[in-house]
Amino acid sequence: MERFAEVPDQYDPDTVEERVFDYWDEIDAYERTVEHRADGEDYFFVDGPPYTSGAAHMGTTWNKTLKDAYIRYLRMCGYDVTDRPGYDMHGLPIETKVEEQLDFENKKDIEAFGMENFIEECKSFAEEQLAGLQEDFESFGVWMDWEDPYRTVSPEYMEAAWWGFEQAHERGLVEQGMRSITQCPRCETAIAKNEVEYHQVEDPSIYVKFDLADREGSLVVWTTTPWTVPANTFVAVGGDVTYAKVRVERDGDEEVLYLASDVVEEVVQKGGYDGYTVESELSGEEMVGWGYDHPLADAVPDHPDFDGALQVYTADYVEVDRTGLVHSAPGHGEEDFQRGRELGLDIFCPVDGDGTYGDSAGRYAGSFVRDANEDIRADLDEKGLLLADETYVHDYGQCWRCDTDIVQIVTDQWFITVSDIKDELLENIDDSEWYPAEARDSRFRKFVENSPDWNVSRQRYWGIPIPIWTPEDWDGSMEEALVFGTREELAEAVDQDVDPDALDLHRPTVDDLTVTRDGTTYSRVPDVFDVWLDSSVASWGTLDYPSDGSRFDDLWPADLIMEAHDQTRGWFWSQLGMGTAALGEVPYEQVLMHGYANMPDGRGMSKSKGITVEPGEVIAQHGADPMRLFLLSRNPQGEDMRFSWEETEAMQRRLNILWNVFRFPLPYMRMDGFSPDGVSLADVRDDLETVDEWVLSRLQSVEAEMADHWAEFRQDRALDALLSFVVDDVSRFYVQAVRERMWKEEDDPSKTAAYATLYHVLREVTALLAPYAPLVAEEVYGNLTGEAGHPTVHMCDWPEADAGWRDDRLEEDVRRLREVEEAGAEARQQAERSLRWPVTRVVVVADDERTVDAVDRHRPLLRERLNAETIELVEPGEDWGEVTYSARADMSVLGPAFGGDAADVMNALNEAEVDEQSLGALERAVADATGMTVDLTDEMIEFETNTPPEVSGVEFGGGVVYVDTALTEAIEREGYAREVVRRLQEMRKALDLDIEAEVRVAIAVDDDRVATLVRDREGYIAEEVRVAGFVDDDELDTPHRERFEDVEGVALELAIEPVAAPPASD
RNA sequence: GGGCCAAUAGCUCAGUCAGGUAUGAGCGCUCGGCUGAUAACCGGGAGGUCACCGGUUCAAAUCCGGUUUGGCCCA
């Protein structure tokens, strides 16, 4: 890129993006930046892999933008950062999408289509989605190793999962066991509890009588799942709950019911009884051991009737609600299962994985459980056991992928028994730093404390096959099972001849492999891993460990991961669990936990509901850099963000200001052939003026502040500091202050010093901006440095504050001076005297010594900024002799206080003029005027300051600024000359003249006195406007003339003509 | 149903941990100014029941309890 080349007037994100993307390609900017840091200290960042089932939404975009910013920042700090992106490509969500595409209903369709074909379809679906995501990420400038992402479907990655699982197994943390699980009957697999979504459904609500075996009467239970009654094994009571023996009566028939005392009335009513009597009360404890008859004994001959079944037990899940007696089926409900286990009861589950009853369900065998509800109710009714039959609307779980109502059943599943290492998990938590810290200590810790064993098996196809081979007639002991951790181990062991390097670990390839030992044949268990296990091994999967052992020892564990807060129970947890199970350590050292991307109105985004803001649209509207700036300006620690179009647009405007600041000096530097390489800051140190020193000091302060914020993972605060420096300090103050120096034609050390200063500031700013807005930073940097800099701004070192340029006193001085200046500008405005016109004097009445020092040290600067001939300073405690104070009386207070004298006092007060702002002075003035001695209070009056005519004053934080706008001939001379200059400049501009082009000018002023004043300043006008000659109006035959009727009271006419022929307009 | 987090100007947010006048910030709006950075820039102004209810305190946006709304997680 050519140095100081001409740039467009306006920052246009689109063209900048286009150019920079091409440029990056052309010079291999990413590769060279990575190479540039190859010898740096290792920094192991691990990318949480997005799931490949859709385009990048705003949340993913925020996440990747944060990652990109931190990776760029760390690189600039010198680190050799691991930046391998990852993609999570297995799992049920993809299977169901493919099933939809292929119009499949259930597993049978898949089997008919062929498992291998189906898996191929899943693979190509995931590949397509990966390509789309990757394109999205690149579209907003994310630099990661796109050529070589880790993919959970690659043999190396799958092997990483196998290896981790094998390690866990070797620690004795793998077991098969029965568990009550949430099963999707359509997908025919267990799904994780966090994959269950809850919606309201209407279910049966039945009250059933369980006839007692050894005594009169029946237990009344309530359930919304009649289909679980066949599996009823016991009835649970609360040990401390009071139950009642109730004799009820209907149509002359009597019966005895047992239920909680508190609900007798309610249940009797539901049962439609005519009346009841409570015969006795007893505690739940007293009922323990009572036997009862299974209500569906005839229909389900295989029903539980083993030792200990069909009895009353206590359980802590009992609530006095409905009947206070809980139908318990350890073959279904999770709590029932746990209690059943505790009680040593056998587990009876007559329901298969597809939600239909098996043979053990007797009469109901073959029917779908929810369809069987009707029959069961009818059968219970027929036996007279249905006390009440209603419906009930409640939240019930559905499969997140296909919306099918889940069923709770007990099946054999594979587990990593993390509950065995809970203490270790909790200890390991402390080895990681979280930002924000509270997230770790509240939510995460609580979750880990309550985490159950991890069910890692799924009865599906598209996943990493579980690497367990079991012998025929396996007894369930893990010692008998074979677990393989690598392809090589497997290839060596199996009966078939396989090449480990060519082995695809997916089903069905591995399903056919068998192992024979001592005459026993081992075959693989058919399940695949829960997809959460895939990403849980990312910290070594990223390194292709164990198949490639070259980097693991140096890098592992991860230095940093960053994801949204939903990953607390997701990836943050799964990595802790897997890392601890396999390696005994938490696999990450720092966690940056950010929030969710919400809609501008605060609602969550939802693609299915069409409530989204699409990143692509934002980029099209405002550009990638402005979008990134917006995302990076949000607190990244735990808090959700609301997307804001307005704020994104504001970021675009701020970049435009930066763009203007950057292009402002270019024409001058070009014209003067300024060469930054030959002129360092140190070279011009002696020529620096106060504003230069100030802006350089501010730069150091900003750099120091930004460093602190970045270290605390608050890039948003660092960005604030940077942008307010650019907008407030550089654009609004520094550039304004140096404009005149840059306009100077001749060579001038002060001008060179300003060039060197601004150049330095801009170059550092581009580096500071690079992690945030990598595209525009590149463009600006390239233009500033040309061939002399790095090929890309992203190879720069992160600018560090240089104490040698820092001057806190000066910064504080200027801060105060800017307050004085603002007040002065306001005072001018009140006096209607524009800044173009000098004023004779500005008087600063200071309240404190610090302000005095600031003003005193920088009188010339303040004179220049306020266009004042002199600055007068009145120190604290001194009065400026030229103001007096008067009072405005408040009659509503004076009246009650002074009665009949009030009017006189008021007049005296209003007319008083005193030298100091005190009640005492006013009291004396009143005494002088009226002869009365009065006690005044603050409430009675309001002080007013009286300034001399033509002086106006405005208060500021450190005092009052007075501006004396009285005119003198010298001021008029200067003022009118500047009016003329300004108008001529405007006319030059309208002609589109080159900055250096010379003109001839005619000036006609309708007032002789003013005409003479202007003529006195022709030299100045000539210099400012590049006038080659002043001529009489009639000598100038030009269409470029303009008449101004009222310029500070006079009319004037200006004509202008370029000396050479005007340049062809382009 | 339970846990965690949030609610401050029209908008986006500081301030809340360590209670002490909201000179709150930027953007937007509005009035004025400037004019070789000019679709930029500068100044003035309007704009707040600090979500609601209650408590502690001389004093609460800030601490405590509850409610509402939103987000996430869990059931």
Side-chain angles (χ1 to χ4, degrees):
Chain A
M1 205 174 287
E2 196 196 332
R3 194 174 230 180
F4 304 152
E6 276 192 60
V7 299
D9 287 357
Q10 190 81 15
Y11 161 59
D12 176 23
D14 284 351
T15 55
V16 168
E17 277 165 36
E18 213 172 294
R19 266 200 304 270
V20 172
F21 279 135
D22 286 348
Y23 176 70
W24 281 354
D25 273 351
E26 195 184 298
I27 66 153
D28 292 328
Y30 165 74
E31 290 76 7
R32 288 169 78 172
T33 302
V34 171
E35 182 55 35
H36 184 58
R37 301 298 180 184
D39 296 330
E41 193 181 328
D42 287 326
Y43 195 101
F44 185 29
F45 170 78
V46 176
D47 186 34
Y51 195 74
T52 49
S53 68
H57 52 83
M58 192 53 80
T60 327
T61 301
W62 191 22
N63 174 260
K64 272 291 193 291
T65 301
L66 279 165
K67 288 171 177 170
D68 184 56
Y70 278 89
I71 289 171
R72 284 181 194 273
Y73 166 75
L74 289 163
R75 284 216 168 98
M76 291 177 82
C77 291
Y79 292 103
D80 180 16
V81 185
T82 306
D83 65 352
R84 193 178 191 195
Y87 294 95
D88 204 356
M89 300 169 73
H90 283 131
L92 191 55
I94 288 171
E95 287 195 45
T96 52
K97 290 230 177 187
V98 171
E99 282 183 85
E100 265 168 48
Q101 281 182 357
L102 297 173
D103 216 14
F104 287 177
E105 290 280 317
N106 52 39
K107 265 188 178 175
K108 282 151 200 94
D109 294 329
I110 297 173
E111 299 287 350
F113 183 68
M115 190 198 301
E116 195 162 2
N117 296 334
F118 181 70
I119 282 170
E120 273 311 310
E121 292 287 334
C122 290
K123 188 170 184 185
S124 48
F125 178 88
E127 300 279 3
E128 270 168 44
Q129 299 299 321
L130 183 155
L133 280 172
Q134 191 134 307
E135 206 172 294
D136 290 341
F137 298 150
E138 289 182 82
S139 77
F140 48 92
V142 180
W143 269 7
M144 295 181 89
D145 189 3
W146 304 124
E147 298 289 316
D148 182 32
Y150 74 81
R151 297 140 33 89
T152 57
V153 300
S154 75
E156 295 77 19
Y157 193 93
M158 291 167 75
E159 191 171 74
W162 275 23
W163 179 83
F165 187 69
E166 183 193 38
Q167 298 305 302
H169 164 63
E170 282 174 6
R171 291 192 62 191
L173 298 174
V174 170
E175 67 172 44
Q176 190 197 34
M178 284 196 293
R179 289 289 194 290
S180 166
I181 48 121
T182 42
Q183 171 94 1
C184 172
R186 192 210 69 88
C187 301
E188 293 184 47
T189 183
I191 56 176
K193 282 185 188 159
N194 59 8
E195 293 168 346
V196 177
E197 286 184 352
Y198 291 82
H199 300 292
Q200 291 213 320
V201 297
E202 186 172 8
D203 268 331
S205 165
I206 58 173
Y207 291 74
V208 187
K209 291 183 285 193
F210 286 15
D211 289 340
L212 288 161
D214 308 315
R215 65 200 76 217
E216 183 191 11
S218 43
L219 306 169
V220 185
V221 304
W222 172 75
T223 181
T224 59
T225 51
W227 59 268
T228 61
V229 175
N232 176 272
T233 305
F234 66 98
V235 167
V237 294
D240 301 333
V241 175
T242 306
Y243 293 86
K245 177 183 182 187
V246 185
R247 188 167 296 276
V248 293
E249 182 261 316
R250 175 170 46 200
D251 303 334
D253 294 335
E254 287 188 351
E255 55 185 315
V256 170
L257 304 177
Y258 286 90
L259 62 164
S261 293
D262 290 349
V263 295
V264 169
E265 181 79 40
E266 186 189 321
V267 174
V268 166
Q269 202 175 347
K270 281 192 193 291
Y273 296 102
D274 301 330
Y276 71 93
T277 22
V278 174
E279 294 201 337
S280 61
E281 290 194 328
L282 66 172
S283 72
E285 206 64 58
E286 292 173 85
M287 294 166 72
V288 171
W290 290 10
Y292 62 90
D293 300 330
H294 194 284
L296 295 171
D298 307 339
V300 186
D302 293 341
H303 69 266
D305 61 352
F306 39 80
D307 236 14
L310 304 181
Q311 289 184 21
V312 173
Y313 294 97
T314 57
D316 52 17
Y317 52 78
V318 173
E319 286 172 30
V320 183
D321 173 44
R322 301 291 176 168
T323 73
L325 293 150
V326 180
H327 146 62
S328 299
H332 296 296
E334 192 175 348
E335 290 175 316
D336 311 30
F337 174 80
Q338 277 165 7
R339 184 67 179 129
R341 271 292 176 89
E342 269 171 33
L343 296 168
L345 299 172
D346 287 352
I347 306 300
F348 176 75
C349 178
V351 178
D352 292 337
D354 61 358
T356 60
Y357 285 112
D359 292 342
S360 62
R363 183 186 303 170
Y364 310 114
S367 49
F368 186 67
V369 289
R370 289 190 151 262
D371 299 337
N373 278 342
E374 266 324 300
D375 294 340
I376 290 169
R377 281 150 73 184
D379 289 348
L380 290 169
D381 198 23
E382 195 190 341
K383 294 179 71 180
L385 299 177
L386 199 54
L387 182 141
D389 184 4
E390 304 174 339
T391 61
Y392 177 54
V393 176
H394 64 149
D395 280 345
Y396 192 82
Q398 285 84 29
C399 172
W400 67 334
R401 302 317 311 175
C402 65
D403 286 342
T404 307
D405 286 333
I406 55 130
V407 294
Q408 199 79 34
I409 58 174
V410 171
T411 59
D412 273 329
Q413 299 289 340
W414 291 92
F415 290 86
I416 297 180
T417 56
V418 286
S419 55
D420 291 348
I421 51 170
K422 191 155 288 177
D423 292 342
E424 199 180 340
L425 291 169
L426 289 169
E427 257 173 56
N428 286 350
I429 287 179
D430 294 331
D431 294 337
S432 60
E433 286 298 321
W434 285 47
Y435 299 87
E438 314 85 73
R440 183 191 81 177
D441 295 325
S442 57
R443 210 155 134 172
F444 191 54
R445 188 175 299 276
K446 212 166 278 179
F447 179 70
V448 172
E449 277 165 2
N450 298 322
S451 56
D453 288 339
W454 183 1
N455 174 6
V456 295
S457 50
R458 293 292 182 272
Q459 294 70 52
R460 294 296 301 190
Y461 309 97
W462 181 232
I464 299 177
I466 293 185
I468 301 176
W469 269 254
T470 53
E472 305 150 80
D473 302 324
W474 182 48
D475 65 359
S477 137
M478 284 312 288
E479 269 146 45
E480 300 294 315
L482 303 173
V483 177
F484 296 105
T486 64
R487 284 168 285 174
E488 212 155 310
E489 281 174 35
L490 178 68
E492 263 171 43
V494 295
D495 302 328
Q496 295 75 8
D497 187 17
V498 293
D499 172 5
D501 294 325
L503 186 63
D504 177 9
L505 293 181
H506 282 108
R507 299 185 72 189
T509 318
V510 287
D511 295 350
D512 300 332
L513 301 178
T514 55
V515 178
T516 306
R517 287 206 182 152
D518 302 331
T520 308
T521 304
Y522 292 69
S523 53
R524 199 185 73 82
V525 306
D527 296 353
V528 298
F529 279 133
D530 167 21
V531 69
W532 277 105
L533 188 133
D534 291 26
S535 58
S536 75
V537 303
S539 63
W540 56 89
T542 294
L543 303 172
D544 289 337
Y545 189 82
S547 66
D548 173 358
S550 64
R551 291 170 296 172
F552 181 85
D553 288 342
D554 288 339
L555 295 180
W556 200 87
D559 289 299
L560 176 64
I561 60 175
M562 57 178 86
E563 305 297 332
H565 45 45
D566 58 334
Q567 298 303 333
T568 308
R569 281 149 168 77
W571 198 51
F572 300 155
W573 151 245
S574 71
Q575 284 200 95
L576 172 72
M578 196 63 188
T580 304
L583 288 154
E585 281 181 55
V586 59
Y588 46 79
E589 287 177 351
Q590 295 181 99
V591 177
L592 176 58
M593 186 196 86
H594 62 84
Y596 256 50
N598 291 333
M599 292 299 286
D601 62 8
R603 286 177 304 166
M605 291 198 189
S606 160
K607 197 176 172 188
S608 60
K609 291 179 195 152
I611 307 172
T612 62
V613 173
E614 293 300 327
E617 250 177 78
V618 179
I619 294 170
Q621 197 89 23
H622 297 295
D625 280 330
M627 178 180 77
R628 290 175 58 114
L629 281 189
F630 170 74
L631 295 173
L632 294 170
S633 70
R634 306 293 102 176
N635 182 346
Q637 298 194 13
E639 285 181 37
D640 292 343
M641 68 103 159
R642 294 180 176 206
F643 180 77
S644 164
W645 289 98
E646 294 79 16
E647 290 296 309
T648 305
E649 196 189 339
M651 287 301 175
Q652 188 183 350
R653 274 198 302 274
R654 285 189 189 166
L655 285 179
N656 192 36
I657 292 175
L658 172 68
W659 188 265
N660 272 304
V661 170
F662 144 68
R663 84 190 173 89
F664 152 73
L666 296 181
Y668 309 107
M669 289 178 172
R670 262 202 309 276
M671 220 178 336
D672 288 329
F674 171 68
S675 165
D677 310 326
V679 187
S680 73
L681 276 184
D683 294 334
V684 300
R685 186 142 206 171
D686 292 340
D687 299 319
L688 292 177
E689 301 196 3
T690 304
V691 282
D692 304 326
E693 285 166 356
W694 170 77
V695 79
L696 289 169
S697 177
R698 283 288 303 134
L699 177 64
Q700 313 313 317
S701 301
V702 167
E703 285 172 358
E705 195 186 334
M706 287 180 77
D708 290 346
H709 291 318
W710 273 100
E712 284 297 308
F713 290 96
R714 288 303 299 266
Q715 90 295 327
D716 57 320
R717 289 181 166 162
L719 179 61
D720 270 355
L722 177 62
L723 291 178
S724 64
F725 173 66
V726 169
V727 174
D728 267 350
D729 296 336
V730 182
S731 174
R732 290 182 185 165
F733 194 81
Y734 184 70
V735 167
Q736 297 302 324
V738 296
R739 277 158 72 166
E740 287 200 43
R741 284 158 72 195
M742 296 216 176
W743 294 341
K744 277 221 167 88
E745 260 179 284
E746 65 273 20
D747 265 352
D748 173 58
S750 167
K751 179 167 70 176
T752 308
Y755 284 162
T757 303
L758 187 52
Y759 179 83
H760 177 81
V761 168
L762 285 172
R763 210 197 46 212
E764 302 256 302
V765 163
T766 56
L768 295 167
L769 187 69
Y772 297 99
L775 300 154
V776 67
E778 188 77 286
E779 177 93 349
V780 173
Y781 178 81
N783 185 297
L784 289 174
T785 57
E787 298 299 316
H790 289 293
T792 159
V793 68
H794 304 288
M795 284 166 71
C796 290
D797 289 342
W798 183 252
E800 277 181 47
D802 178 348
W805 290 104
R806 192 147 173 197
D807 183 346
D808 288 336
R809 192 184 75 170
L810 176 60
E811 287 189 46
E812 177 61 18
D813 280 356
V814 172
R815 198 184 65 73
R816 284 165 188 264
L817 290 182
R818 291 178 76 175
E819 283 186 30
V820 172
E821 183 190 336
E822 265 177 39
E826 196 185 337
R828 270 177 170 279
Q829 197 166 336
Q830 282 178 14
E832 296 185 328
R833 178 58 38 85
S834 79
L835 193 60
R836 269 200 301 281
W837 288 62
V839 293
T840 50
R841 54 180 185 157
V842 164
V843 180
V844 180
V845 177
D847 283 350
D848 59 80
E849 291 297 339
R850 190 65 192 80
T851 301
V852 170
D853 293 343
V855 171
D856 199 35
R857 273 196 283 268
H858 304 292
R859 284 173 192 262
L861 177 61
L862 199 54
R863 268 207 304 274
E864 195 183 315
R865 302 286 303 173
L866 284 169
N867 196 10
E869 291 174 347
T870 57
I871 303 289
E872 290 176 20
L873 187 51
V874 178
E875 307 217 358
E878 290 178 21
D879 283 323
W880 184 37
E882 294 177 41
V883 293
T884 56
Y885 304 94
S886 56
R888 169 152 305 201
D890 184 343
M891 218 27 202
S892 68
V893 186
L894 289 185
F898 300 116
D901 296 328
D904 291 339
V905 174
M906 179 189 77
N907 287 332
L909 279 172
N910 286 348
E911 283 159 23
E913 199 165 301
V914 298
D915 292 338
E916 69 180 55
Q917 194 169 321
S918 71
L919 291 174
L922 284 176
E923 283 166 359
R924 284 192 294 277
V926 171
D928 288 349
T930 65
M932 283 187 280
T933 305
V934 293
D935 283 332
L936 297 175
T937 65
D938 285 331
E939 290 73 39
M940 292 174 183
I941 55 103
E942 213 175 304
F943 277 105
E944 287 184 337
T945 308
N946 305 316
T947 58
E950 315 213 275
V951 170
S952 61
V954 168
E955 281 185 58
F956 70 104
V960 188
V961 177
Y962 295 97
V963 177
D964 186 346
T965 59
L967 291 176
T968 64
E969 198 169 71
I971 284 174
E972 283 190 286
R973 193 176 286 126
E974 192 61 29
Y976 281 114
R978 285 174 76 158
E979 296 289 350
V980 168
V981 165
R982 195 211 112 198
R983 285 171 175 77
L984 288 172
Q985 296 285 34
E986 220 161 56
M987 292 169 77
R988 282 183 65 108
K989 182 126 198 280
L991 283 169
D992 203 16
L993 290 182
D994 191 79
I995 293 178
E996 286 180 288
E998 300 202 317
V999 290
R1000 286 193 299 161
V1001 160
I1003 303 171
V1005 185
D1006 285 8
D1007 178 302
D1008 289 345
R1009 188 181 68 91
V1010 173
T1012 310
L1013 293 176
V1014 170
R1015 204 163 305 125
D1016 289 346
R1017 294 295 285 153
E1018 276 184 351
Y1020 161 76
I1021 295 170
E1023 189 180 328
E1024 292 292 314
V1025 191
R1026 313 251 154 129
V1027 178
F1030 291 97
V1031 293
D1032 282 343
D1033 198 18
D1034 45 12
E1035 281 177 41
L1036 211 57
D1037 180 22
T1038 171
H1040 309 301
R1041 59 176 63 244
E1042 211 170 330
R1043 186 171 170 82
F1044 303 91
E1045 286 304 335
D1046 182 11
V1047 177
E1048 299 292 318
V1050 304
L1052 63 85
E1053 187 162 326
L1054 301 173
I1056 182 169
E1057 184 184 60
V1059 168
S1065 59
D1066 40 14

